[in-house]
Amino acid sequence: MELATELPTQPTGGISVCASLRVIDVVDIDTVNENFTVTLELLLEWAAPDSESFQGENGLEHGADKRDKDWEPEWFPSWEVAGLCGGLENVRREFWTTKVTERGSLGLLGSTKLGYRVSQSTTFTAKIVEKM
């Protein structure tokens, strides 16, 4: 299975995104039709772009409240699952921010500048075709 990601170009040349994919459950395997259904969790983490606002209802500070399940950043990477048959099911997506207070102190990518890191967790079920 391939995971394809697509990142919009930023004015500063781009944003590095760390991705982790975890298999939660193998729901079904159909060897005759060469497909399988799995439940996956995709975890993404990136440094908040300079264009992202810090304060206000949708600001990065508001995203630090993990109880607010509706918060979304102004920018986040888009992604797709290669070989997807139909659409994603049982999609649950959450975002949150973490303030970086010391250089190199936080995150999967390691921080080189002070600011905020944004994390996204998406859990979903997908039927994937793997034709030979």
Side-chain angles (χ1 to χ4, degrees):
M1 176 178 67
E2 276 180 45
L3 178 69
T5 59
E6 179 181 309
L7 302 175
T9 304
Q10 296 297 306
T12 58
I15 294 177
S16 294
V17 177
C18 183
S20 171
L21 185 64
R22 180 173 67 108
V23 177
I24 296 173
D25 188 20
V26 176
V27 179
D28 182 48
I29 298 174
D30 182 347
T31 55
V32 174
N33 294 309
E34 299 178 347
N35 65 58
F36 59 98
T37 304
V38 290
T39 300
L40 303 168
E41 178 187 30
L42 175 64
L43 180 63
L44 302 175
E45 184 179 273
W46 63 94
D50 294 336
S51 62
E52 196 86 39
S53 58
F54 288 96
Q55 297 177 342
E57 185 176 322
N58 225 23
L60 293 168
E61 288 180 340
H62 192 71
D65 182 1
K66 291 186 182 176
R67 296 172 294 176
D68 182 358
K69 302 297 183 193
D70 295 328
W71 180 82
E72 286 189 2
E74 295 168 6
W75 179 88
F76 53 89
S78 62
W79 52 271
E80 62 184 41
V81 178
L84 184 64
C85 180
L88 300 178
E89 298 177 2
N90 306 319
V91 179
R92 201 173 67 239
R93 181 171 71 176
E94 295 179 17
F95 294 92
W96 66 93
T97 62
T98 309
K99 188 171 186 175
V100 179
T101 56
E102 295 179 25
R103 294 186 188 278
S105 67
L106 177 73
L108 301 171
L109 299 174
S111 175
T112 57
K113 73 175 197 174
L114 305 180
Y116 281 86
R117 299 201 66 71
V118 182
S119 299
Q120 174 186 356
S121 173
T122 306
T123 304
F124 57 92
T125 302
K127 183 175 183 178
I128 299 169
V129 176
E130 284 285 319
K131 296 281 184 188
M132 294 292 184

